[in-house]
Amino acid sequence: MAAKGRKQPPVRPDPLSEAAARRHELTRAKAVQALRELDRAGTPVTFAGVAQAARISRSWLYTQPDISDQIRRLREKTDSAGSASAIPADQRATDASLRARLTAALDRSKHLADENARLRRQLARALGDQRSARIRSGNDPGC
């Protein structure tokens, strides 16, 4: 029986559990770092690629829901982007910049179509004037 008023000694954490927790956190940090570097470099993000870059096991990656979800998301983004996977993440175009480029291209296309129509009218007028001048001078081969 414990004596009244006597304090219990503090429970010391298990050194093996502490080491396992440190090893787990170190492994997570390596996986996240590898994942970011692969994405930043434009390299396709796969379980095998992350495992190899981080020097960890693929099976461990599958047991980490947040990391495996992120790998799947990046893999799907890369698959759907097609050739965009070869472009590093920080160099990929944003939606806003793509919209701005599209707007500029549409404006340029409209400007060129308007100029083309104006030039066609000018040419038609010039050809009409030329034909009228030939008819007046009696040099029209069509008569």
Side-chain angles (χ1 to χ4, degrees), residues 50-68:
V50 172
Q52 184 178 8
R55 294 190 174 110
I56 59 177
S57 74
R58 262 188 324 182
S59 61
W60 183 87
L61 285 173
Y62 287 109
T63 66
Q64 306 304 304
D66 57 330
I67 295 175
S68 61

Side-chain angles (χ1 to χ4, degrees), residues 1-141:
M1 235 191 212
K4 286 187 177 180
R6 189 181 229 190
K7 288 184 176 179
Q8 293 289 329
V11 178
R12 299 191 76 182
D14 177 24
L16 291 177
S17 296
E18 286 181 339
R22 279 194 307 273
R23 191 171 60 246
H24 176 78
E25 288 306 314
L26 177 63
T27 305
R28 282 185 66 76
K30 288 176 11 181
V32 169
Q33 181 66 28
L35 208 156
R36 287 181 181 152
E37 287 176 5
L38 289 173
D39 185 42
R40 198 174 303 122
T43 305
V45 177
T46 62
F47 283 92
V50 172
Q52 184 178 8
R55 294 190 174 110
I56 59 177
S57 74
R58 262 188 324 182
S59 61
W60 183 87
L61 285 173
Y62 287 109
T63 66
Q64 306 304 304
D66 57 330
I67 295 175
S68 61
D69 286 348
Q70 192 170 4
I71 291 171
R72 285 185 186 97
R73 271 194 310 276
L74 289 170
R75 185 173 58 192
E76 288 170 8
K77 182 176 81 170
T78 300
D79 290 345
S80 66
S83 63
S85 65
I87 302 169
D90 59 344
Q91 294 177 12
R92 293 182 197 148
T94 63
D95 287 343
S97 69
L98 290 174
R99 280 189 203 96
R101 290 176 61 190
L102 177 59
T103 301
L106 290 172
D107 289 345
R108 176 79 175 136
S109 177
K110 183 179 180 342
H111 171 76
L112 290 172
D114 291 346
E115 183 178 13
N116 195 358
R118 183 183 56 80
L119 290 171
R120 285 178 188 267
R121 285 190 303 273
Q122 275 183 341
L123 179 61
R125 228 177 279 121
L127 289 173
D129 291 347
Q130 187 180 39
R131 183 160 187 218
S132 295
R134 273 195 309 237
I135 290 174
R136 274 186 256 131
S137 67
N139 291 334
D140 187 14

